[in-house]
Amino acid sequence: MRIESGKKYDFSDVLIRPKRSYLPSRKKVTLEREYKFMHSKHVWQGIPIMAANMDGVGTLKMAKSLEEHLLFTCLVKNYQYKDLKEHSLNPEYFSISTGIGQQDLKRLEENLSKYPEIKFITIDVANGYSEAFGDFVENIRGKYPDKTIIAGNVVTSDMTQELILRGADIVKVGIGPGSVCTTRIQTGVGYPQLSAIMECADAAHGLGAHIIADGGCTSPGDVAKAFGAGADFVMLGGMLAGHDEGGGDIITETYTSSRVDNESKEPIYETKQFVEFYGMSSDTAMDKHHGGMANYRSSEGRTVKIPYRGKVESMVLNILGGLRSTCTYVGARRLKDLSKCTSFITVSKQYNDVFEK
Ligand code: 5GP
């Protein structure tokens, strides 16, 4: 046993220091990026924000809506090539997802043979540190040399490099920071997300590969911090959940408010709308996709009710507006320059919450 004593940072430990700049307006900021992926050699252009492959987020409707803004969607595992074809998605802006089981491999191979236009494959496991996972990535790289492979999740530079050398173009980074994740509570395992991004980005960029900061963003400011820390892509679950495109049922609940009707003196009732959102390792997901939780496992995800938020477009515009503004605060003309222009300062308070209590 040993302890590493160097401080590691989360989004909530830092702010971005403003700097003098010549940038006249946030309108002048370019958020589009162009990447050439290391193994597939594919050249991609777009705004590098991704919807997570989670129920209620990584849906076909979400992909259709996000591609209009040049944003990317990692689709949930259970789609078949027929569903993909029906929605005529632009292959530049979506990835299919797979686990590493025999059934997963069969479905992946079938989807790729029936729909060869698919360009991105996300190989996704909760714990990217197993040898079997590395073997699977290597096997898929060998079979599909021109597909862009996203693989994760890991949080350290050694495993980022291992996955890249095994064939991943993009490594997904994050263990335990997610909004509906209980891994840190259930296992005690994790890594503060800002430090994980910085260290894994450094490791990947040295080899010519890319990383995704996956999980833990709760506001446009966190997305900006993730890019500032060196992420090439930022993946969002909770921030894109609760919208029409996620397809969940809208739950309407009636509350007795603290206000009283002046004439009848009866309490005034209010209704609020919610959507259920859950982690992909939660009991809810296990019931839905695997017919229940196997008894040697325990849930590492929670199920929550979040306010229904209408169309996703308003959230997208809010995130992109925030990012452009960050860029103007630090003098970055392009999102590409944001990490170069970022100096983080460590803080003990993020913002003034006096009216939130
Ligand atoms: P968020 O943006 O909601 O903070 O994080 C989204 C990420 O949380 C996903 O992309 C995925 O990596 C992770 N995640 C999703 N479901 C679960 C779960 O049930 N357990 C854990 N540990 N992580 C999850």
Side-chain angles (χ1 to χ4, degrees):
M1 186 279 290
R2 68 191 196 97
I3 191 155
E4 283 181 26
S5 55
K7 174 116 171 84
K8 302 292 175 190
Y9 299 96
D10 248 314
F11 296 131
S12 57
D13 293 317
V14 300
L15 287 169
I16 299 170
R17 184 157 68 77
K19 290 184 180 151
R20 291 173 73 166
S21 103
Y22 288 115
L23 266 179
S25 138
R26 65 190 75 178
K27 252 199 265 170
K28 300 276 177 209
V29 174
T30 310
L31 297 180
E32 269 182 64
R33 297 229 40 193
E34 181 177 300
Y35 296 131
K36 183 171 182 183
F37 299 120
M38 180 182 161
H39 296 285
S40 69
K41 308 289 181 221
H42 178 57
V43 177
W44 181 85
Q45 286 175 323
I47 298 182
I49 294 177
M50 295 173 150
N53 46 346
M54 300 175 72
D55 289 352
V57 181
T59 62
L60 295 163
K61 280 196 178 139
M62 184 66 78
K64 199 76 207 149
S65 186
L66 293 188
E67 71 174 38
E68 284 169 26
H69 297 275
L70 310 181
L71 268 55
F72 196 94
T73 301
C74 284
L75 295 168
V76 291
K77 250 171 47 171
N78 42 308
Y79 287 126
Q80 301 282 350
Y81 63 92
K82 294 183 209 117
D83 312 316
L84 303 171
K85 279 183 171 163
E86 256 168 40
H87 280 74
S88 59
L89 299 176
N90 181 344
E92 290 296 325
Y93 297 107
F94 79 87
S95 163
I96 53 169
S97 301
T98 179
I100 62 168
Q102 278 306 313
Q103 278 300 104
D104 294 315
L105 180 63
K106 215 170 130 225
R107 177 166 41 199
L108 177 71
E109 287 178 338
E110 186 177 16
N111 279 339
L112 289 172
S113 76
K114 298 269 175 47
Y115 194 4
E117 293 87 350
I118 291 171
K119 294 193 162 155
F120 291 83
I121 306 167
T122 299
I123 309 172
D124 194 19
V125 293
N127 170 9
Y129 284 78
S130 79
E131 200 59 17
F133 178 61
D135 292 345
F136 191 91
V137 172
E138 194 171 328
N139 177 26
I140 299 300
R141 168 52 64 217
K143 284 188 178 150
Y144 302 103
D146 60 347
K147 303 290 179 203
T148 299
I149 297 180
I150 299 171
N153 278 22
V154 297
V155 281
T156 50
S157 51
D158 56 336
M159 212 53 203
T160 300
Q161 293 192 327
E162 165 84 9
L163 292 177
I164 293 165
L165 297 177
R166 295 274 207 138
D169 296 284
I170 311 172
V171 174
K172 208 147 72 76
V173 174
I175 292 189
S179 59
V180 281
C181 166
T182 55
T183 294
R184 292 179 185 179
I185 301 166
Q186 198 61 21
T187 67
V189 175
Y191 209 98
Q193 184 67 349
L194 190 88
S195 290
I197 297 167
M198 286 174 144
E199 293 169 24
C200 296
D202 187 49
H205 295 165
L207 295 174
H210 296 88
I211 69 147
I212 303 171
D214 175 22
C217 288
T218 58
S219 60
D222 288 343
V223 178
K225 288 174 190 175
F227 282 121
D232 303 294
F233 293 87
V234 177
M235 177 172 275
L236 304 174
M239 281 183 74
L240 297 179
H243 294 281
D244 290 332
E245 291 79 356
D249 294 334
I250 298 173
I251 306 155
T252 304
E253 290 184 0
T254 306
Y255 289 86
T256 332
S257 77
S258 51
R259 292 178 299 128
V260 177
D261 185 88
N262 277 346
E263 282 177 17
S264 68
K265 303 295 175 211
E266 290 286 318
I268 294 175
Y269 294 98
E270 281 177 2
T271 59
K272 286 188 184 161
Q273 292 185 303
F274 298 91
V275 177
E276 191 181 71
F277 179 51
Y278 50 86
M280 296 310 283
S281 316
S282 64
D283 292 334
T284 311
M286 290 297 154
D287 286 346
K288 227 170 204 144
H289 301 298
H290 305 285
M293 181 80 67
N295 61 8
Y296 61 88
R297 301 179 60 135
S298 65
S299 166
E300 285 182 28
R302 62 180 119 236
T303 302
V304 295
K305 261 189 312 181
I306 60 172
Y308 164 64
R309 302 192 272 198
K311 296 242 168 295
V312 76
E313 185 174 40
S314 56
M315 175 56 80
V316 169
L317 297 179
N318 189 39
I319 295 169
L320 302 188
L323 255 186
R324 283 196 193 89
S325 186
T326 311
C327 288
T328 56
Y329 270 113
V330 298
R333 274 176 198 283
R334 307 170 296 177
L335 181 60
K336 184 173 188 216
D337 302 328
L338 180 56
S339 138
K340 212 168 48 194
C341 296
T342 294
S343 302
F344 289 114
I345 46 171
T346 56
V347 297
S348 50
K349 185 175 164 117
Q350 278 286 308
Y351 65 98
N352 186 341
D353 59 358
V354 67
F355 292 122
E356 287 180 10
K357 287 167 190 157

